């Protein structure tokens, strides 16, 4: 991933380097054999590079530490606050089935309608043409309104949304920590609220054999935060007291807290994969293992990637460099 620093706009110039022809992203992975195209694509290289850059950026850092918060970061948080407010304005409806509350469709219709406007408020005027392309990833990141479900493919769309904002220079290299700690963390809070309020189904869940019903990335970045921690080891995250005392500092523990709030019974039974991970000796081993698992279980699975959309910023074309 040599292109990382240019991906995160390390250069100082404000104007985009070349006149970009933006396009509305579309589906390109239609049959299982198309997966080879995805793995060779510029989109895959840039997406994975983005995830790994942020993984390094938050290494050994607490959520509560000091970091730079730029204006675009503030605007992204405001956008997520708007989505949160809409949940309050769209209470669940009475319906016979317990799961998949239909009020989610009302909430989603609002986002569908407003997404481009929301994105336009985040990006500078000279990049206005990018809004329709970038907005597609935002709309894809909150779950499916037909099935009223949410999973790692939706989470990937939000990471792609942030990656696109880096590629057009709205977010930059020194925004790394704020991207994860401020924006992505706020996104997680809003998604958890959606999942609880509308009782969303986990999309493509592997049940007890999956890492988590809904998210994956906060476990990767969250384990990186814990690398070289003086006292917290992987075996500690299954200890309720440790989680309660430290979850505000570490994304990984915040995820564990949410799981224990949502699920009953012994941790080893409802979250077997995580239980196994707690036996790994070091956080750096956990982090490396989770990156491998993310590629294998999410990015290389057709049911997840068939929904991914490709445009000018995340192109299906093979890697050039």
């Amino acid at each position: 991933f040599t292109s990382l620093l240019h991906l995160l706009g390390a250069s100082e110039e404000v104007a985009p380097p070349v006149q970009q022809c933006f396009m509305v992203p579309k589906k390109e992975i239609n049959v299982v054999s198309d997966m080879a195209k995805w793995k060779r694509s510029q989109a895959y290289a840039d997406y994975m590079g983005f995830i790994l850059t942020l993984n390094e950026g938050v290494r050994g850092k607490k959520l509560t530490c000091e970091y730079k918060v730029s204006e675009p970061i503030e605007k992204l948080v405001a956008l997520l606050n708007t989505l949160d407010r809409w949940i309050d304005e769209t209470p669940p409806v009475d319906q016979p089935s317990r799961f998949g509350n239909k009020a989610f469709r009302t909430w989603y219709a609002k986002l569908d309608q407003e997404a481009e406007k929301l994105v336009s408020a985040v990006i500078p005027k000279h990049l206005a043409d990018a809004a329709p392309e970038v907005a597609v990833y935002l709309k894809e990141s909150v779950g499916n309104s037909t099935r009223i479900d949410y999973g790692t493919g939706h989470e990937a769309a939000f990471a792609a949304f942030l990656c696109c904002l880096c590629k057009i220079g709205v977010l930059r290299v020194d925004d790394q920590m704020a991207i994860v700690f401020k924006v992505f963390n706020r996104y997680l809070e809003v998604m958890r609220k959606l999942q609880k309020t509308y009782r969303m189904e986990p999309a493509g869940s592997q049940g007890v054999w999956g890492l988590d019903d809904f998210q994956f990335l906060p476990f990767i970045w969250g384990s990186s935060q814990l690398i070289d921690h003086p006292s917290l080891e992987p075996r500690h995250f299954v200890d309720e007291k440790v989680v309660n005392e430290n979850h505000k500092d570490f994304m990984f523990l915040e995820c564990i807290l949410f799981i224990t709030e949502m699920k009953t019974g012994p941790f080893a039974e409802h979250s077997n994969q995580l239980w196994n991970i707690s036996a790994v000796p070091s956080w750096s081993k956990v982090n490396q293992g989770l990156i491998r698992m993310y590629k294998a279980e999410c990015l290389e699975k057709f049911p997840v990637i068939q929904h991914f959309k490709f445009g000018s910023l995340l192109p299906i074309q093979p890697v050039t460099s």
Side-chain angles (χ1 to χ4, degrees):
F1 23 96
T2 46
S3 62
L4 288 196
L5 289 177
H6 90 237
L7 191 76
L8 272 159
S11 52
E12 282 311 303
E13 89 280 8
V14 180
V18 281
Q19 207 36 59
Q20 173 100 32
C21 276
F22 296 106
M23 61 179 275
V24 174
K26 58 185 206 299
K27 202 168 137 53
E28 299 275 4
I29 310 296
N30 299 305
V31 288
V32 176
S33 55
D34 288 339
M35 288 297 283
K37 273 198 302 199
W38 154 242
K39 282 187 246 179
R40 282 197 302 268
S41 71
Q42 190 64 50
Y44 182 89
D46 285 350
Y47 178 86
M48 208 53 225
F50 180 66
I51 300 300
L52 294 172
T53 301
L54 295 174
N55 189 57
E56 279 309 302
V58 301
R59 187 183 175 128
K61 306 278 198 311
K62 291 181 175 183
L63 286 169
T64 47
C65 73
E66 292 279 311
Y67 50 84
K68 174 182 167 272
V69 178
S70 64
E71 195 184 344
I73 294 285
E74 296 283 16
K75 288 177 172 175
L76 283 165
V77 172
L79 181 159
L80 291 164
N81 291 343
T82 301
L83 302 189
D84 191 337
R85 194 183 72 244
W86 291 349
I87 302 175
D88 297 334
E89 293 166 5
T90 320
V93 295
D94 276 336
Q95 61 176 46
S97 70
R98 229 174 95 220
F99 287 97
N101 195 283
K102 291 181 181 61
F104 175 71
R105 294 184 182 144
T106 312
W107 180 90
Y108 183 84
K110 195 160 196 172
L111 173 62
D112 196 33
Q113 206 182 330
E114 303 283 330
E116 259 177 64
K117 206 162 84 185
L118 289 171
V119 170
S120 297
V122 175
I123 60 183
K125 293 274 185 287
H126 71 274
L127 289 168
D129 292 354
E133 175 163 351
V134 178
V136 167
Y137 296 104
L138 178 64
K139 289 192 283 193
E140 296 279 316
S141 74
V142 297
N144 181 287
S145 66
T146 311
R147 295 187 302 272
I148 315 182
D149 66 6
Y150 175 95
T152 50
H154 302 110
E155 176 190 61
F158 191 74
F161 167 67
L162 296 172
C163 183
C164 288
L165 292 174
C166 289
K167 292 195 81 170
I168 60 175
V170 172
L171 297 172
R172 320 188 81 92
V173 141
D174 54 1
D175 287 317
Q176 283 184 67
M177 283 168 69
I179 290 171
V180 180
F181 292 171
K182 203 134 180 85
V183 180
F184 194 81
N185 207 38
R186 184 70 186 108
Y187 164 76
L188 285 178
E189 290 169 0
V190 178
M191 291 309 105
R192 286 172 184 147
K193 186 165 167 179
L194 277 179
Q195 290 149 19
K196 273 183 175 165
T197 307
Y198 304 121
R199 301 199 64 118
M200 297 176 80
E201 297 271 12
S205 165
Q206 300 161 302
V208 69
W209 302 112
L211 182 70
D212 177 79
D213 280 343
F214 297 109
Q215 312 296 155
F216 204 113
L217 292 173
F219 291 96
I220 294 178
W221 296 331
S223 59
S224 180
Q225 282 184 278
L226 285 154
I227 290 173
D228 297 330
H229 191 283
S231 59
L232 292 179
E233 294 170 29
R235 64 190 171 93
H236 291 123
F237 77 74
V238 290
D239 178 338
E240 204 178 324
K241 186 170 176 288
V242 171
V243 172
N244 288 334
E245 286 170 8
N246 297 281
H247 70 92
K248 287 188 167 63
D249 284 325
F250 300 104
M251 212 170 227
F252 195 102
L253 302 182
E254 201 65 86
C255 290
I256 301 295
L257 186 69
F258 184 66
I259 291 171
T260 54
E261 279 172 10
M262 300 298 279
K263 298 194 166 181
T264 51
F267 192 88
E269 284 174 26
H270 63 62
S271 301
N272 189 261
Q273 287 283 42
L274 282 167
W275 178 259
N276 292 339
I277 287 170
S278 73
V280 176
S282 72
W283 284 111
S284 61
K285 285 256 187 315
V286 169
N287 186 248
Q288 290 160 6
L290 285 173
I291 290 166
R292 282 196 303 272
M293 187 179 175
Y294 184 59
K295 287 178 180 170
E297 297 301 323
C298 301
L299 301 185
E300 292 174 11
K301 287 279 188 279
F302 175 73
V304 176
I305 296 304
Q306 64 172 331
H307 303 292
F308 197 89
K309 299 202 165 132
F310 301 84
S312 75
L313 295 167
L314 290 170
I316 188 72
Q317 281 70 32
V319 174
T320 43
S321 52

